[in-house]
Amino acid sequence: MRFNFDIPEPSSKGALTPPSQSRSLTPPSQSQSRSPSSATPANEEVEWVPLQNHPIFSNATATHSSNDVPKKRNLMAWDGASRLYYWDINTQSLHRISLRFGEPEPTSVLAASPTKVMRADVALNFMVDRITINRHGSALLLEGSDGIRVMYLYGSSSSKDSAVICRTVSVGSDVYFNTNNAIRTLKVSWHPYSDTHLGILSSDSVFRLYDLSVALEQPEQEYYLQPVERGRSRNASSICPVDFSFGGDHLWDRFSVFILFSDGSVYILCPVVPFGSVYKWESVLEIYNDAQTFGLKASSSKAVSNANLAISWLEATFPDLAEQAAEGGNQPALKSHPYALFDASVSLQGPLHKVYHGKEEDLSELKVSECEGRAVSFLYKAVSKDSVLVTAFSSGQLQIDALADEIQPVWTPGNQPRLSVNSQDRIIGVAMICETHSNELSVDHDIWLGHSPPLLKLGTVDLALPGKPESGSLISLFVDPLIPERIYSVHDGGVDSIVLHFLPFTNQKNGIDDDIRAPSVQSVLSTCQVESSVSALCGFVALSDSFGCSWIVGLTSGFECVVIGMESWNLLLPARIDKEKKFGNGNLEEAGDATIISKELLTGPKVVIVPPTSQNPVAADSIEGRSTLHQYFKLFHENYVEYAHKVYFELKHHGPQLKKIIDDQHARLREAQQKLAKVEEKQEKLEKRIDHVIQTHDHLEERLLNLKNLPGIHKKPLSKAEREFKMELDRFRGLELDALHTTIEAINGRIQRYSSSPQTKKPNQRRQIAGRRKGNAEDDEISHLKSSIAKLSIVNNENTKKVKLVDSALKNHESNL
């Protein structure tokens, strides 16, 4: 399938200027004066101008030379909120531009002028070709062919010459930019789950992870890629890496790294986790429960072994996972700890093979790529339940696939990694050789067997780029921040928009039983009109706001800024909407201008070529004059008169059909007007309900304020330990103190009864004689009882004092609250 559109994607809020017109594709300047922003100098008045008319772009000059080597260049970056960064290669400085979306028009993008100028605190000895910002916007990567620097945008900085001097550090200079300079960096990217980790793929087939918070020159993790199995041979293109991409927020994809080789083959490293990175609790718990539910209960011993390895790795990498999962905890996030298996290395899964709709997998032949040329760029995108892989080739073709199965972690037993530990025996570095395993497909479709997931082909797009037989086309791929199904392709000819209309797992989840629909492509911006050796864009970003509007911003080779609003609301509507409700009652076979009036009539009459005449004037009544007039009349009749007859015949023949179409359009217009009238009626009711809701909300706010002013409402509730201590005091006061009082009262009663007994006063000789012996025992018992009573009274007094002291402390605590 070949696509060759040169029509920009229309915007729902305004028409775009076609690429064939002037390169100023946005409305004229509409400036407004605003209050100073924190992102701009406070001592200068801030002016809000359209982004495409900003002075930093209009005053820039191109510095290209004819000997420049074609390279991917992107001098613009967006922090995902309201700040755009632009690197000025002439002044070696960074401009931070504050943006406003939707002012004064919904399709407008305003920028603050002047900008905040930021410079590195050290001299840059290389040309910056690409800038990228980390996920929280705290650091910016400056990448060039001769150096990699990281500029910290916040923190300790000093002003100099109305510019902010930012701390800038070098990364990996000992490995990539030494005196020999034999190793080239192929791709540098921030990790999506860490603000301090950089992933670098180099020409020596090694993928390295750097932790900028620990060491700038020593990598934290090193993976030596071996895509060829032992004992086998492959061509040179299959062992040359080109690009890589981190996985997205989907199951084991978030722990995966996708690596592209020059022959178009894709490999996977899983699991790869930066030390200290943070992940959502629900995401880690989901794959942990999946491994326990399906992996440990599999029928294959190999699947059980792989699941046990994955579970042990998860429990060691996230130590709180097992305990929290058993207790049913629900903490927001989990932080990874340094860990690696001591007797196994991560396997290089791949190359990923292809499966097709309605066809069985061909186990005998492993098909890697169907496109011509060499692979030049790669993009991973998680769209709902699908993982989409896009590969760009030098021939101008895009290969779009989706993973047909879930990724599982795979290790190679016996291949021991090399670990580096500190004085506390904690792992600070890991290095391992990642070998590919036998890519034999399973017939029983069991999971957790260690097989690499297959690729389901979604389509092949031909961008129809201008031919460059020597070096090929340089293509960069970008995702849309608003619509995940849209991908932007930036190349030598401009910018194209590719929209995915079919996603297998997402459509199945949403209950859409739709036929396979190929991706659609439209040309958004064309730079082929300018005949120049350097016609590619040197800057590109995609912007979006919270109201569902999106824009693309391009920087041409002449440093001219282009802003284009993109369509979003009806982009993914099905192609056969209102299929049963065509014009009229369905009697028309086809609808459209092409069936009403033929293309021959739409092109107009043929151009009449005036026959050559002699320079001397000829009389009309002469033979030559009559011959000339006859030729003129013949040409006129053949072209214009016959064309008029054709037009008359077409209109007369299609008159009833046109009338039927017009009547149907009028009927649909009346139906739409009736619906609009109903909407207006409902709008009035909705406005009344909204006013009532607002009044109720105001009344509730007043009641809430009154409740806040009530006495005792600001008292802080007791903590768990305080509540337990109070319960213990209440129990002590209600039970043990009452028991002591009861015991004392009983003893006092017994003493009173004994002292008032009449038997003690009767004179009895025999009793006196016999009672002398008993008297001593009774005296002892009485003295013992008295001592017990004294002790109990002392204990009672002490407990009473303690209870009073605790009561007073509680009252003071409550009064303070």
Side-chain angles (χ1 to χ4, degrees), residues 346-364:
V346 176
S347 177
L348 186 63
Q349 304 181 42
L352 305 185
H353 62 277
K354 298 290 184 67
V355 294
Y356 301 90
H357 300 279
K359 296 182 181 180
E360 294 294 333
E361 302 171 357
D362 188 4
L363 304 182
S364 59

Side-chain angles (χ1 to χ4, degrees), residues 102-170:
E103 295 182 13
E105 299 295 332
T107 57
S108 302
V109 179
L110 297 182
S113 176
T115 63
K116 175 74 75 174
V117 181
M118 314 173 79
R119 291 192 177 94
D121 60 349
V122 295
L124 301 181
N125 53 0
F126 64 94
M127 180 68 69
V128 176
D129 296 326
R130 184 170 174 264
I131 65 172
T132 53
I133 195 168
N134 61 355
R135 58 173 185 170
H136 286 161
S138 59
L140 190 81
L141 174 66
L142 306 176
E143 180 186 350
S145 58
D146 298 326
I148 297 175
R149 299 288 176 91
V150 174
M151 177 184 291
Y152 292 96
L153 305 178
Y154 301 97
S156 58
S157 59
S158 60
S159 298
K160 181 181 179 181
D161 300 334
S162 69
V164 177
I165 307 302
C166 300
R167 186 172 70 93
T168 306
V169 296
S170 177

Side-chain angles (χ1 to χ4, degrees), residues 597-606 643 646:
I597 300 176
S598 62
K599 294 181 180 179
E600 182 181 357
L601 296 183
L602 291 176
T603 56
K606 297 180 181 179
Y643 176 76
K646 291 180 181 179

Side-chain angles (χ1 to χ4, degrees), residues 795-814:
V795 173
N796 185 20
N797 293 332
E798 291 179 354
N799 290 332
T800 304
K801 291 179 181 179
K802 292 180 179 179
V803 170
K804 290 181 179 180
L805 182 61
V806 171
D807 288 336
S808 62
L810 289 175
K811 289 180 180 179
N812 293 332
H813 183 67
E814 291 177 355

Side-chain angles (χ1 to χ4, degrees), residues 343-348 410-416 433-437:
D343 57 347
S345 297
V346 176
S347 177
L348 186 63
V410 180
W411 287 270
T412 303
N415 192 1
Q416 298 179 356
I433 298 176
C434 302
E435 298 179 344
T436 182
H437 62 284

Side-chain angles (χ1 to χ4, degrees), residues 67 79 167 203 237 301 455 465 468 489 553 655 665:
N67 297 328
D79 66 348
R167 186 172 70 93
S203 58
S237 62
S301 59
L455 293 176
L465 302 181
K468 289 188 177 182
S489 172
V553 180
Q665 294 289 345

